[in-house]
Amino acid sequence: MVDLRSDTVTRPTPGMRAAMAAAEVGDDVYGEDPTVNALEAQVAAMFGHEAGLFAPTGSMANQLALQTLVPPGGELLCDADAHVVTYEVGAAAAYGGISSRTWPAAGGDPDPDLVAAMLRPAGFGAVPTRAVAVEQTHNRSGGQIIGTPVLRRLRAVTAAAGVALHCDGARIWHAHVADGVPLAEYGALFDTVSVCLSKGLGAPVGSVLVGSAERVAVARQLRKRMGGGMRQAGVLAAAGRYALAHHLDRLADDHARAARLAQALAPYGVVRPEQVRSNIVALDLSATALSGPALAEAAGAEGVLVSVVGPDTARLVTHLDIDDDAVDRAAVVLAGILRR
Ligand SMILES: *Cc1c(COP(=O)(O)O)cnc(C)c1O
Protein backbone atom coordinates (compact mmCIF):
# COMPACT_ATOMS: atom_id res chain seq x y z
CA MET A 1 0.00 0.00 0.00
CA VAL A 2 1.15 3.53 -0.80
CA ASP A 3 -0.87 5.73 1.53
CA LEU A 4 -0.99 9.30 0.23
CA ARG A 5 -4.24 10.25 1.95
CA SER A 6 -2.60 12.41 4.60
CA ASP A 7 0.65 13.05 6.44
CA THR A 8 -1.16 11.98 9.61
CA VAL A 9 -0.89 8.28 8.71
CA THR A 10 2.78 7.97 9.70
CA ARG A 11 3.84 5.51 12.38
CA PRO A 12 6.49 6.31 14.96
CA THR A 13 9.97 5.17 13.93
CA PRO A 14 12.03 2.82 16.14
CA GLY A 15 14.12 5.80 17.29
CA MET A 16 11.00 7.74 18.21
CA ARG A 17 9.55 4.76 20.09
CA ALA A 18 12.81 4.42 22.03
CA ALA A 19 12.67 8.12 22.96
CA MET A 20 9.06 7.69 24.10
CA ALA A 21 9.91 4.64 26.20
CA ALA A 22 12.79 6.46 27.88
CA ALA A 23 10.86 9.71 28.57
CA GLU A 24 11.02 11.17 32.04
CA VAL A 25 7.42 11.87 33.07
CA GLY A 26 5.26 13.42 35.78
CA ASP A 27 1.70 14.64 36.19
CA ASP A 28 1.32 17.44 33.66
CA VAL A 29 -1.90 18.78 35.20
CA TYR A 30 0.32 19.60 38.21
CA GLY A 31 2.88 21.05 35.77
CA GLU A 32 5.27 18.29 36.80
CA ASP A 33 6.04 16.52 33.55
CA PRO A 34 9.60 17.57 32.66
CA THR A 35 9.36 16.34 29.07
CA VAL A 36 6.13 18.26 28.40
CA ASN A 37 7.61 21.35 30.03
CA ALA A 38 10.73 21.04 27.87
CA LEU A 39 8.68 20.62 24.67
CA GLU A 40 6.49 23.63 25.49
CA ALA A 41 9.54 25.80 26.21
CA GLN A 42 11.34 24.56 23.11
CA VAL A 43 8.51 25.31 20.68
CA ALA A 44 7.81 28.70 22.28
CA ALA A 45 11.49 29.60 21.88
CA MET A 46 11.52 28.47 18.24
CA PHE A 47 8.76 31.01 17.48
CA GLY A 48 10.10 33.71 19.81
CA HIS A 49 7.03 33.50 22.05
CA GLU A 50 6.97 33.49 25.84
CA ALA A 51 5.13 30.26 26.47
CA GLY A 52 3.79 27.07 24.92
CA LEU A 53 1.00 24.64 25.71
CA PHE A 54 0.93 20.98 24.68
CA ALA A 55 -2.47 19.90 23.33
CA PRO A 56 -3.68 16.51 22.17
CA THR A 57 -4.75 17.79 18.73
CA GLY A 58 -4.32 20.71 16.40
CA SER A 59 -8.04 21.32 16.53
CA MET A 60 -7.88 21.76 20.29
CA ALA A 61 -4.83 24.03 20.01
CA ASN A 62 -6.68 26.19 17.47
CA GLN A 63 -9.82 26.34 19.55
CA LEU A 64 -7.90 27.23 22.72
CA ALA A 65 -6.25 30.07 20.81
CA LEU A 66 -9.59 31.31 19.49
CA GLN A 67 -11.19 31.16 22.93
CA THR A 68 -8.38 33.29 24.39
CA LEU A 69 -8.61 35.81 21.52
CA VAL A 70 -12.37 36.12 20.98
CA PRO A 71 -14.86 36.54 23.82
CA PRO A 72 -18.30 34.90 23.43
CA GLY A 73 -20.37 36.89 20.94
CA GLY A 74 -17.27 38.19 19.18
CA GLU A 75 -16.26 37.34 15.67
CA LEU A 76 -13.52 35.40 13.94
CA LEU A 77 -12.66 36.19 10.31
CA CYS A 78 -10.93 33.58 8.16
CA ASP A 79 -10.73 31.99 4.73
CA ALA A 80 -13.85 30.05 3.66
CA ASP A 81 -11.68 26.94 3.23
CA ALA A 82 -9.92 27.26 6.59
CA HIS A 83 -9.58 24.17 8.78
CA VAL A 84 -11.09 26.08 11.72
CA VAL A 85 -14.40 26.47 9.88
CA THR A 86 -14.28 23.31 7.75
CA TYR A 87 -12.96 20.43 9.86
CA GLU A 88 -13.45 21.42 13.51
CA VAL A 89 -17.13 20.49 13.69
CA GLY A 90 -18.37 23.94 14.67
CA ALA A 91 -16.16 24.09 17.77
CA ALA A 92 -15.69 27.87 17.76
CA ALA A 93 -19.45 28.36 18.00
CA ALA A 94 -20.19 25.33 20.17
CA TYR A 95 -17.45 25.84 22.79
CA GLY A 96 -16.44 29.49 22.44
CA GLY A 97 -19.72 31.19 21.50
CA ILE A 98 -17.70 32.60 18.62
CA SER A 99 -19.32 33.87 15.45
CA SER A 100 -17.30 33.07 12.30
CA ARG A 101 -17.33 35.00 9.03
CA THR A 102 -15.24 34.10 6.02
CA TRP A 103 -13.63 35.71 3.03
CA PRO A 104 -13.98 33.77 -0.26
CA ALA A 105 -11.53 30.87 -0.36
CA ALA A 106 -8.19 32.33 -1.44
CA GLY A 107 -5.76 29.67 -0.28
CA GLY A 108 -2.27 31.03 -0.02
CA ASP A 109 -3.24 34.41 -1.45
CA PRO A 110 -5.53 36.26 0.96
CA ASP A 111 -6.18 39.92 0.10
CA PRO A 112 -5.24 42.17 3.05
CA ASP A 113 -7.37 45.02 1.66
CA LEU A 114 -10.42 42.77 1.55
CA VAL A 115 -9.73 41.58 5.10
CA ALA A 116 -9.30 45.19 6.25
CA ALA A 117 -12.65 46.11 4.66
CA MET A 118 -14.37 43.19 6.39
CA LEU A 119 -13.18 44.03 9.93
CA ARG A 120 -16.15 45.17 11.97
CA PRO A 121 -15.56 47.53 14.87
CA ALA A 122 -17.39 47.12 18.15
CA GLY A 123 -20.51 49.24 18.28
CA PHE A 124 -24.18 49.21 19.05
CA GLY A 125 -25.71 46.08 17.56
CA ALA A 126 -22.59 44.96 15.72
CA VAL A 127 -20.72 41.68 16.06
CA PRO A 128 -17.18 42.96 16.72
CA THR A 129 -14.31 41.29 14.88
CA ARG A 130 -11.83 40.18 17.52
CA ALA A 131 -9.50 37.88 15.60
CA VAL A 132 -8.37 36.96 12.11
CA ALA A 133 -6.98 33.49 11.43
CA VAL A 134 -4.79 32.38 8.55
CA GLU A 135 -3.49 28.92 7.70
CA GLN A 136 0.16 28.17 6.89
CA THR A 137 0.54 26.09 4.81
CA HIS A 138 -2.99 26.21 3.48
CA ASN A 139 -4.39 22.70 3.42
CA ARG A 140 -7.41 22.77 1.11
CA SER A 141 -5.62 24.85 -1.51
CA GLY A 142 -2.98 22.13 -1.86
CA GLY A 143 -0.34 23.27 0.63
CA GLN A 144 -0.04 26.83 -0.66
CA ILE A 145 2.25 29.17 1.28
CA ILE A 146 1.25 32.71 2.26
CA GLY A 147 4.18 35.02 1.56
CA THR A 148 5.62 37.15 4.34
CA PRO A 149 4.76 40.47 2.57
CA VAL A 150 1.06 39.49 2.68
CA LEU A 151 1.35 38.33 6.28
CA ARG A 152 3.00 41.63 7.25
CA ARG A 153 0.16 43.58 5.65
CA LEU A 154 -2.39 41.41 7.45
CA ARG A 155 -0.53 42.11 10.68
CA ALA A 156 -0.63 45.85 9.98
CA VAL A 157 -4.35 46.00 9.18
CA THR A 158 -5.36 43.85 12.14
CA ALA A 159 -3.07 45.66 14.59
CA ALA A 160 -4.44 49.03 13.44
CA ALA A 161 -7.95 47.79 14.26
CA GLY A 162 -6.97 46.20 17.58
CA VAL A 163 -7.79 42.76 16.19
CA ALA A 164 -5.69 39.69 17.04
CA LEU A 165 -4.01 37.51 14.42
CA HIS A 166 -3.84 33.73 14.82
CA CYS A 167 -1.91 31.30 12.66
CA ASP A 168 -3.17 27.76 12.22
CA GLY A 169 0.36 26.51 11.63
CA ALA A 170 -0.38 22.79 11.46
CA ARG A 171 2.17 22.67 8.62
CA ILE A 172 4.05 25.91 9.23
CA TRP A 173 7.17 23.70 9.37
CA HIS A 174 6.69 23.00 5.68
CA ALA A 175 6.48 26.72 4.84
CA HIS A 176 9.64 27.33 6.87
CA VAL A 177 11.53 24.57 5.03
CA ALA A 178 10.18 25.49 1.58
CA ASP A 179 10.78 29.25 1.77
CA GLY A 180 13.53 29.47 4.38
CA VAL A 181 11.55 31.97 6.48
CA PRO A 182 12.80 31.66 10.08
CA LEU A 183 10.16 30.33 12.49
CA ALA A 184 10.79 33.34 14.75
CA GLU A 185 9.95 35.66 11.85
CA TYR A 186 6.61 33.90 11.51
CA GLY A 187 6.18 33.98 15.28
CA ALA A 188 6.64 37.75 15.43
CA LEU A 189 3.68 38.24 13.07
CA PHE A 190 1.08 36.47 15.19
CA ASP A 191 -0.48 36.70 18.64
CA THR A 192 -0.86 32.93 18.70
CA VAL A 193 0.46 30.07 16.58
CA SER A 194 -0.70 26.45 16.73
CA VAL A 195 1.58 23.76 15.31
CA CYS A 196 1.14 20.03 14.71
CA LEU A 197 3.73 17.44 15.61
CA SER A 198 1.58 14.63 14.21
CA LYS A 199 1.58 15.65 10.54
CA GLY A 200 4.77 15.78 8.51
CA LEU A 201 6.94 15.58 11.61
CA GLY A 202 5.70 12.05 12.26
CA ALA A 203 4.78 12.07 15.96
CA PRO A 204 1.75 9.91 16.78
CA VAL A 205 -0.07 12.62 18.76
CA GLY A 206 0.34 16.22 19.72
CA SER A 207 0.20 19.91 18.95
CA VAL A 208 1.58 23.00 20.65
CA LEU A 209 0.02 26.45 21.02
CA VAL A 210 2.41 29.36 21.56
CA GLY A 211 1.68 32.90 22.73
CA SER A 212 2.29 35.30 25.58
CA ALA A 213 2.71 33.84 29.08
CA GLU A 214 -0.55 35.46 30.16
CA ARG A 215 -2.53 34.11 27.22
CA VAL A 216 -1.08 30.61 27.53
CA ALA A 217 -1.97 30.57 31.24
CA VAL A 218 -5.59 31.24 30.25
CA ALA A 219 -5.38 28.58 27.52
CA ARG A 220 -4.08 26.10 30.12
CA GLN A 221 -7.23 26.61 32.18
CA LEU A 222 -9.41 26.29 29.08
CA ARG A 223 -7.56 23.12 28.06
CA LYS A 224 -8.60 21.54 31.37
CA ARG A 225 -12.18 22.66 30.73
CA MET A 226 -12.09 21.05 27.27
CA GLY A 227 -10.89 17.77 28.79
CA GLY A 228 -7.38 18.15 27.42
CA GLY A 229 -5.48 18.03 30.72
CA MET A 230 -3.30 14.95 30.27
CA ARG A 231 -1.23 13.32 33.00
CA GLN A 232 2.06 11.53 32.15
CA ALA A 233 1.98 13.10 28.70
CA GLY A 234 5.77 13.19 28.53
CA VAL A 235 5.61 9.88 26.68
CA LEU A 236 3.88 11.81 23.88
CA ALA A 237 5.91 15.00 24.25
CA ALA A 238 9.07 12.90 23.86
CA ALA A 239 7.86 11.86 20.41
CA GLY A 240 7.41 15.53 19.56
CA ARG A 241 10.90 16.43 20.81
CA TYR A 242 12.35 13.56 18.80
CA ALA A 243 10.41 14.70 15.71
CA LEU A 244 11.74 18.26 15.99
CA ALA A 245 15.29 16.98 16.32
CA HIS A 246 15.16 14.42 13.50
CA HIS A 247 12.27 15.08 11.13
CA LEU A 248 12.18 18.82 10.50
CA ASP A 249 14.91 19.28 7.89
CA ARG A 250 13.86 16.16 6.00
CA LEU A 251 10.55 17.82 5.04
CA ALA A 252 12.51 19.04 2.00
CA ASP A 253 12.46 15.40 0.80
CA ASP A 254 8.67 15.32 1.09
CA HIS A 255 8.46 18.52 -0.96
CA ALA A 256 10.75 17.09 -3.64
CA ARG A 257 8.62 13.93 -3.80
CA ALA A 258 5.40 15.95 -4.09
CA ALA A 259 7.02 17.90 -6.93
CA ARG A 260 7.95 14.62 -8.64
CA LEU A 261 4.39 13.36 -8.38
CA ALA A 262 3.14 16.63 -9.86
CA GLN A 263 5.61 16.40 -12.75
CA ALA A 264 4.51 12.84 -13.50
CA LEU A 265 0.81 13.76 -13.51
CA ALA A 266 1.06 17.16 -15.23
CA PRO A 267 0.71 15.69 -18.76
CA TYR A 268 -2.85 14.63 -17.88
CA GLY A 269 -3.93 18.21 -17.15
CA VAL A 270 -4.78 17.59 -13.49
CA VAL A 271 -2.06 19.64 -11.79
CA ARG A 272 0.32 22.48 -12.58
CA PRO A 273 3.70 21.58 -11.06
CA GLU A 274 4.56 25.24 -10.30
CA GLN A 275 1.56 25.34 -7.95
CA VAL A 276 2.94 22.56 -5.75
CA ARG A 277 4.81 24.41 -3.04
CA SER A 278 5.06 21.88 -0.21
CA ASN A 279 4.00 18.28 0.50
CA ILE A 280 0.43 18.41 -0.85
CA VAL A 281 -0.59 17.79 -4.45
CA ALA A 282 -4.16 18.81 -5.24
CA LEU A 283 -5.52 17.12 -8.36
CA ASP A 284 -8.19 18.99 -10.30
CA LEU A 285 -10.07 16.33 -12.26
CA SER A 286 -12.67 18.63 -13.82
CA ALA A 287 -11.12 18.31 -17.30
CA THR A 288 -11.09 14.50 -17.10
CA ALA A 289 -13.82 11.88 -17.24
CA LEU A 290 -13.03 10.89 -13.64
CA SER A 291 -14.60 12.14 -10.43
CA GLY A 292 -12.61 12.38 -7.20
CA PRO A 293 -14.29 9.29 -5.73
CA ALA A 294 -13.81 7.34 -8.98
CA LEU A 295 -10.08 8.10 -9.01
CA ALA A 296 -9.74 7.19 -5.33
CA GLU A 297 -11.55 3.89 -5.89
CA ALA A 298 -9.53 2.92 -8.95
CA ALA A 299 -6.24 3.85 -7.27
CA GLY A 300 -7.19 2.06 -4.06
CA ALA A 301 -7.84 -1.12 -6.05
CA GLU A 302 -4.21 -0.92 -7.17
CA GLY A 303 -2.81 -0.22 -3.71
CA VAL A 304 -2.54 3.58 -3.85
CA LEU A 305 -4.66 5.50 -1.34
CA VAL A 306 -5.60 9.10 -2.10
CA SER A 307 -8.13 11.35 -0.41
CA VAL A 308 -11.17 12.94 -1.97
CA VAL A 309 -11.60 16.60 -1.05
CA GLY A 310 -14.37 17.51 -3.48
CA PRO A 311 -16.44 16.00 -6.30
CA ASP A 312 -13.67 16.76 -8.81
CA THR A 313 -10.71 17.06 -6.49
CA ALA A 314 -8.34 14.54 -4.98
CA ARG A 315 -5.37 15.09 -2.71
CA LEU A 316 -1.99 13.39 -2.46
CA VAL A 317 0.22 14.07 0.54
CA THR A 318 3.84 12.97 0.91
CA HIS A 319 5.26 12.15 4.34
CA LEU A 320 7.81 10.25 6.40
CA ASP A 321 6.58 6.81 5.30
CA ILE A 322 6.67 7.61 1.56
CA ASP A 323 10.02 7.00 -0.11
CA ASP A 324 11.12 7.45 -3.73
CA ASP A 325 9.95 3.97 -4.70
CA ALA A 326 6.49 4.65 -3.26
CA VAL A 327 6.27 7.90 -5.24
CA ASP A 328 7.26 6.13 -8.44
CA ARG A 329 4.74 3.36 -7.84
CA ALA A 330 1.97 5.89 -7.14
CA ALA A 331 2.88 7.88 -10.26
CA VAL A 332 2.67 4.77 -12.47
CA VAL A 333 -0.70 3.71 -11.01
CA LEU A 334 -2.27 7.17 -11.16
CA ALA A 335 -0.95 7.89 -14.66
CA GLY A 336 -2.34 4.54 -15.79
CA ILE A 337 -5.79 5.44 -14.48
CA LEU A 338 -5.73 8.96 -15.93
CA ARG A 339 -4.68 7.58 -19.31
CA ARG A 340 -7.65 5.24 -19.61
C1 LIG B 1 -4.58 18.65 10.57
C2 LIG B 1 -4.84 20.10 10.69
C3 LIG B 1 -5.21 20.67 11.92
C4 LIG B 1 -5.38 19.88 13.20
O1 LIG B 1 -5.94 18.66 13.04
P1 LIG B 1 -6.09 17.61 14.24
O2 LIG B 1 -6.49 16.39 13.50
O3 LIG B 1 -7.12 18.14 15.15
O4 LIG B 1 -4.76 17.48 14.92
C5 LIG B 1 -5.42 22.02 11.95
N1 LIG B 1 -5.25 22.78 10.86
C6 LIG B 1 -4.88 22.28 9.67
C7 LIG B 1 -4.68 23.18 8.51
C8 LIG B 1 -4.68 20.91 9.53
O5 LIG B 1 -4.31 20.42 8.35
Side-chain angles (χ1 to χ4, degrees), residues 3 14 18 31 60 72 101 105 130 133 139-140 232 237 247 261 267 275 288 297 336:
D3 194 344
M60 190 185 288
R101 197 155 51 101
R130 302 301 291 266
N139 176 18
R140 281 183 60 83
Q232 284 69 31
H247 297 164
L261 269 173
Q275 290 185 326
T288 74
E297 195 187 328

Side-chain angles (χ1 to χ4, degrees), residues 8 56-60 62 83-84 88 135 137 139 168 170-171 196 198-199 207 315:
T8 55
T57 64
S59 297
M60 190 185 288
N62 276 335
H83 194 281
V84 289
E88 299 184 13
E135 199 169 295
T137 63
N139 176 18
D168 175 352
R171 297 186 183 85
C196 280
S198 58
K199 298 259 167 96
S207 282
R315 188 184 77 158

Side-chain angles (χ1 to χ4, degrees), residues 25-34 36-37 229-233:
V25 296
D27 188 328
D28 182 50
V29 173
Y30 293 154
E32 291 173 2
D33 189 301
V36 172
N37 292 342
M230 299 181 286
R231 302 295 175 170
Q232 284 69 31

Side-chain angles (χ1 to χ4, degrees), residues 291-311:
S291 66
L295 176 74
E297 195 187 328
E302 295 187 59
V304 175
L305 303 182
V306 308
S307 64
V308 178
V309 290

